[in-house]
Amino acid sequence: MTTTDHEQSVIAAAPKGLSIDGEWRAARSGRTFAVEDPATGHTLAEVADGDALDALDAMDAAARSQATWAAHPPRGRGEILRRAYELLTERADDLALLMTMEMGKSLADSRAEIVYAAEFFRWFSEESVRINGRYTPEPNGRGHLLVLRQPVGPCLFITPWNFPMAMGARKIAPAIAAGCTMIVKPAALTPLSMTALAAILAEAGLPAGVCNVVTSTSAGATVAGILDDPRLRKLSFTGSTEVGRQLIAAASSQILRVSMELGGNAPFVVFEDADLDAAIDGAVVAKMRNVGQACTAANRFLVHESLAEQFGSGLAARLGAMRMGRATDPSVEVGPLIDARARAKVDELVDDAQRHGARVLIGGAPIDGPGHFVAPTVLMDVALDARVLREEIFGPVAPITRFVNDDDAIHAANDTAFGLVAYVFTRDLDRALRVCERIETGMIGLNQGLVSNPAAPFGGVKHSGFGREGGPEGIHEYLETKYVAIHTNAV
Ligand code: ADP
């Protein structure tokens, strides 16, 4: 399948260089790397392959710009963010096409991601003027306490390929609002959505040096130097728990402030009083958004024994009706997985579940290339020791197990090292609140299969990380608290 003229013009328009100090430039080494269309395996573009020297240039720019940017009026910061929201909204169709080409997800999913990313710019445009401290009398009446909220300082953002723009937007927008400068290192599999965003931020009026983007195929080596640089003050990472763990260790040398959005293993719990149709609708969203390649994807379906068969056959019917293919075609709902490794892992998990006795309701068989496709798969009565229940699937596979009572369901839901999100379906308010209290996750979707919302604090507990993105909480990640004890004779 070849790209159309429109697709080619969208790719041609996306910047392919490093964005450092307001300039687009090649890597110092002159090296580039190929960005592949996961639906065809064809190269879409060559992008600058930055390394540690380029990252240091970006660090210099971020450090140089920090004081001026922190002094930029909050209203002005907000207006830049608002303009970025408007530009993203105006250009959503082309940006969605670009994202689908480099990442593979359906156009509807890409469009939803652009809207979601844009909403962070709108939300934080409104927050930039509400960074409040306080001035309070000391309890003993002999002085006052002044509490200031100041920008943390230069930040490093490392983002993944599954939401190539939104995972950056959740960090970039509050950092801009708070008055921080930054260096962004997007995933090498999907750099174009981030370079396109950087161009939009510049167009929106963001001064040179505030947001620097370094694309690179050697992530670890590229960021190692700046993680040790005393001018860096904060690291925010979204990606795997394994890499997150290494980065937390690396961040200890300069005692960086750290936010981590790591892996998940979300339980999707359907109680016997649930609205079955709503549960199936929610399951389709929670499982199939991004073809399952989301840390919030429902990974384990725990269904009360009285509903398990109906839920399984209903979900299988819905997943089986979804159209698969290269997702630049708007009728395609299921695109490819990101790469061959991802597909091989999902195929392996399905195979392992079947060897442990799972019943395949739909899908289950590997698909030959080109493109890294996996058929939507529903597995019934998956054994508790099957890998598909223990590992993050990151693919369109729905393993179902049954439970008999609420305690067993909650115990099973919490039986994982992860704690990002859980989905709970019940019409009983008491049960809903009891379960929400006892489930060990940072977020819960109650009778809905989607929790992501720029106005809400997104984040996990346990091995899913710490820190929150979005909502009023989102800006606190980029603010330091300074307290001044005032001795005064005035009062
Ligand atoms: P995923 O499984 O989503 O690809 P990763 O954790 O491997 O998650 O990657 C997320 C981001 O982290 C990407 O931008 C990737 O380039 C970057 N990354 C991977 N390894 C390292 C590392 N050792 N140090 C810093 N960044 C890394």
Side-chain angles (χ1 to χ4, degrees):
M1 209 180 300
T2 53
T3 49
T4 64
D5 287 350
H6 181 54
E7 289 169 17
Q8 277 170 16
S9 73
V10 164
I11 290 168
K16 323 278 184 313
L18 312 176
S19 174
I20 298 177
D21 210 8
E23 307 260 312
W24 290 99
R25 46 157 261 210
R28 279 179 178 255
S29 68
R31 278 199 293 270
T32 61
F33 63 95
V35 182
E36 181 192 285
D37 179 338
T40 61
H42 294 155
T43 296
L44 294 169
E46 288 284 332
V47 170
D49 196 355
D51 62 17
L53 289 176
D54 299 299
L56 189 59
D57 290 340
M59 181 73 249
D60 288 344
R64 251 194 327 267
S65 318
Q66 178 56 55
T68 339
W69 181 238
H72 196 92
R75 176 69 75 200
R77 299 200 299 260
E79 277 162 0
I80 293 166
L81 291 166
R82 173 74 199 194
R83 183 83 188 113
Y85 158 75
E86 283 161 3
L87 290 169
L88 286 165
T89 306
E90 278 164 26
R91 300 189 193 156
D93 287 341
D94 280 357
L95 290 167
L97 181 59
L98 180 69
M99 189 180 285
T100 288
M101 279 190 280
E102 69 171 351
M103 192 274 170
K105 68 173 96 178
S106 72
L107 278 176
D109 275 349
S110 290
R111 218 175 181 293
E113 177 174 346
I114 306 294
V115 170
Y116 180 52
E119 285 297 341
F120 282 95
F121 289 95
R122 177 152 71 164
W123 175 268
F124 287 107
S125 76
E126 293 154 352
E127 290 297 281
S128 65
V129 290
R130 317 219 192 292
I131 299 169
N132 302 320
R134 64 178 194 268
Y135 178 68
T136 51
E138 255 199 76
N140 65 15
R142 288 200 291 270
H144 275 80
L145 314 178
L146 176 64
V147 179
L148 312 180
R149 305 285 282 154
Q150 297 180 310
V152 164
C155 305
L156 171 62
F157 299 152
I158 302 175
T159 59
W161 51 264
N162 60 343
F163 291 94
M165 188 185 283
M167 297 302 99
R170 296 205 300 208
K171 307 178 194 302
I172 295 168
I176 289 176
C180 297
T181 61
M182 63 210 82
I183 302 142
V184 186
K185 207 298 292 165
L189 290 164
T190 56
L192 297 171
S193 298
M194 185 53 68
T195 57
L197 175 60
I200 283 179
L201 290 171
E203 199 179 329
L206 192 67
V210 175
C211 180
N212 306 278
V213 177
V214 178
T215 48
S216 170
T217 52
S218 53
T222 296
V223 301
I226 52 180
L227 282 170
D228 280 337
D229 192 310
R231 295 171 297 173
L232 192 72
R233 300 303 327 134
K234 159 123 197 161
L235 165 68
S236 178
F237 170 74
T238 300
S240 59
T241 297
E242 195 184 304
V243 173
R245 194 175 277 120
Q246 291 170 30
L247 286 171
I248 293 168
S252 71
S253 96
Q254 292 300 328
I255 322 285
L256 294 177
R257 289 250 324 236
V258 178
S259 305
M260 289 278 147
E261 296 287 354
L262 307 176
N265 180 0
F268 187 105
V269 191
V270 184
F271 289 93
E272 70 258 41
D273 61 76
D275 174 338
L276 187 64
D277 291 337
I280 292 170
D281 285 347
V284 173
V285 175
K287 185 71 254 179
M288 295 307 291
R289 189 162 73 116
N290 258 15
V291 199
Q293 301 170 111
C295 47
T296 52
N299 215 60
R300 297 170 291 148
F301 290 86
L302 314 173
V303 186
H304 188 266
E305 58 175 359
S306 63
L307 293 179
E309 287 298 337
Q310 275 172 286
F311 178 85
S313 57
L315 186 60
R318 292 283 296 277
L319 266 47
M322 293 178 89
R323 201 159 158 243
M324 191 159 66
R326 183 172 185 249
T328 45
D329 172 347
S331 69
V332 166
E333 295 159 284
V334 185
L337 296 193
I338 188 69
D339 61 12
R341 201 165 55 107
R343 179 176 69 163
K345 166 157 187 211
V346 177
D347 287 345
E348 211 179 287
L349 293 181
V350 172
D351 184 53
D352 173 75
Q354 291 185 66
R355 276 189 282 109
H356 281 79
R359 196 153 43 91
V360 179
L361 298 187
I362 193 158
I367 296 173
D368 288 336
H372 315 297
F373 291 93
V374 171
T377 296
V378 179
L379 302 169
M380 196 70 197
D381 295 324
V382 175
L384 291 180
D385 55 348
R387 283 177 55 199
V388 75
L389 296 180
R390 324 267 0 145
E391 298 176 25
E392 199 172 22
I393 303 170
F394 252 57
V397 177
I400 302 175
T401 60
R402 302 165 196 251
F403 68 85
V404 179
N405 64 50
D406 291 17
D407 278 349
D408 290 346
I410 293 165
H411 181 263
N414 288 338
D415 185 19
T416 169
F418 295 100
L420 188 60
V421 60
Y423 303 93
V424 173
F425 282 75
T426 171
R427 282 184 281 205
D428 176 337
L429 181 62
D430 286 345
R431 169 180 272 148
L433 295 177
R434 203 162 48 236
V435 172
C436 287
E437 292 273 354
R438 289 179 58 196
I439 284 196
E440 297 165 354
T441 57
M443 302 176 288
I444 295 177
L446 183 56
N447 294 320
Q448 65 179 49
L450 184 70
V451 292
S452 302
N453 184 331
F458 184 106
V461 299
K462 296 161 75 179
H463 287 198
S464 294
F466 43 80
R468 293 294 179 268
E469 294 188 323
E473 292 83 353
I475 201 164
H476 296 316
E477 304 282 322
Y478 299 97
L479 293 169
E480 276 299 358
T481 300
K482 182 186 282 171
Y483 142 62
V484 185
I486 306 176
H487 176 79
T488 169
N489 297 319
V491 283

